[in-house]
Amino acid sequence: MGQLNKFSSSKRPSPEEWLLYREYTHRINNELTSAISAISLAATRSASEEVKAALMAVIERLENYARVDRALRMPERATSMDAATYLRQLCLAISRSKLDFKGIELVLVERPLMINSECCWRLGMIVSELITNAARHAFHDRGGAIVVELLPSRSLVECRVTDNGTAKANIRSGHGLETVEALAKGLGGKVRQHFGPGGSTSTLSFPYGPQQIEQSYAVQSRPNAVMMEGDPPITGVDLAVDVARNQL
């Protein structure tokens, strides 16, 4: 975790640190690929349709973990990308790998935002950690809703992660929050958290250049709410989306 915090800071890693990081992520990808191949072979050899179906569900889960891993890799080169598209792909992979089986619905309320790839990586790391924290602490195995909102203005970007669970404000801070704070600092921003009877909200805010914001607004001026699955949203998610839109 200390190594990750070093990569989370505003200072670019040295060539040696970068090579070690690439090797580490490459090994994770190879191990996931190896596990998927082994389970796939076992499913092929099984004579039980029930066993095959169960193993295929495991494979799908692991493939989505691999998609999350790929999305959260530090970019190798600086480029411009749409943060909304990036978050949509990331949230879909997180939903399918970590949330669906817990009965947790995930909604992304987005506006297009052209941003450089390193800032986008930091944003994705923060969003991933905040979603994971909400899923771990807010719902107590009873399901619920998480809404991620990307809200750019002319000089500031806000990203909110809101849940309708019952997480307590005195939950002990762990390494995940340390990483979130380090990543936010690298963006020149900060993260604020609010806990209430109807759920909790974590808000990341960081400054951004006006010329790039104007380019984003030329594409689409209204927010777009995207369910991470094709099924109709449950009542709790409908309420969460309405609340999110009313706050825009």
Side-chain angles (χ1 to χ4, degrees), residues 6 12 25 32 61 82 99 102 127 148 155 165 178-179 218:
K6 182 184 294 186
R12 290 291 295 176
T25 56
L32 280 170
R61 176 90 60 88
D82 180 19
L99 305 182
K102 294 183 177 181
V127 167
V148 178
S155 60
E178 293 176 5
T179 300

Side-chain angles (χ1 to χ4, degrees), residues 19-219:
L19 287 173
L20 290 172
Y21 177 79
R22 287 187 62 186
E23 176 63 21
Y24 176 72
T25 56
H26 181 66
R27 289 189 180 188
I28 290 176
N29 181 70
N30 284 347
E31 289 169 0
L32 280 170
T33 301
S34 178
I36 290 170
S37 297
I39 297 170
S40 179
L41 180 60
T44 302
R45 291 177 174 176
S46 175
S48 169
E49 293 301 321
E50 185 176 353
V51 170
K52 285 184 178 181
L55 291 176
M56 291 306 296
V58 173
I59 290 172
E60 184 178 2
R61 176 90 60 88
L62 288 175
E63 286 175 341
N64 280 295
Y65 273 118
R67 291 185 180 97
V68 173
D69 175 67
R70 285 195 294 272
L72 294 179
R73 291 179 188 175
M74 183 184 290
E76 296 187 14
R77 59 185 65 86
T79 184
S80 181
M81 60 193 303
D82 180 19
T85 300
Y86 171 80
L87 287 180
R88 191 183 312 130
Q89 296 169 347
L90 174 62
C91 286
L92 181 60
I94 292 174
S95 181
R96 290 177 174 175
S97 61
K98 299 182 180 181
L99 305 182
D100 286 352
F101 73 99
K102 294 183 177 181
I104 300 173
E105 302 285 352
L106 182 60
V107 179
L108 172 64
V109 181
E110 61 182 46
R111 280 194 177 108
L113 172 64
M114 298 307 297
I115 195 170
N116 75 63
S117 53
E118 185 172 331
C119 287
C120 203
W121 170 75
R122 294 176 187 276
L123 175 62
M125 289 285 289
I126 292 171
V127 167
S128 176
E129 187 61 35
L130 293 177
I131 291 173
T132 299
N133 283 346
R136 180 182 299 125
H137 299 297
F139 303 113
H140 311 290
D141 298 323
R142 64 171 177 78
I146 299 174
V147 178
V148 178
E149 304 169 78
L150 183 62
L151 308 171
S153 66
R154 291 191 175 276
S155 60
L156 187 74
V157 174
E158 280 197 353
C159 185
R160 300 176 192 157
V161 178
T162 303
D163 66 71
N164 60 359
T166 57
K168 297 180 180 179
N170 60 354
I171 292 176
R172 186 176 65 179
S173 298
H175 293 301
L177 184 57
E178 293 176 5
T179 300
V180 165
E181 291 174 346
L183 287 160
K185 185 177 180 180
L187 288 169
K190 60 183 178 180
V191 175
R192 306 184 306 275
Q193 291 187 302
H194 171 75
F195 298 87
S200 62
T201 299
S202 299
T203 303
L204 163 70
S205 57
F206 60 94
Y208 199 64
Q211 71 281 358
Q212 290 166 300
I213 296 293
E214 288 170 1
Q215 180 183 355
S216 299
Y217 268 64
V219 179

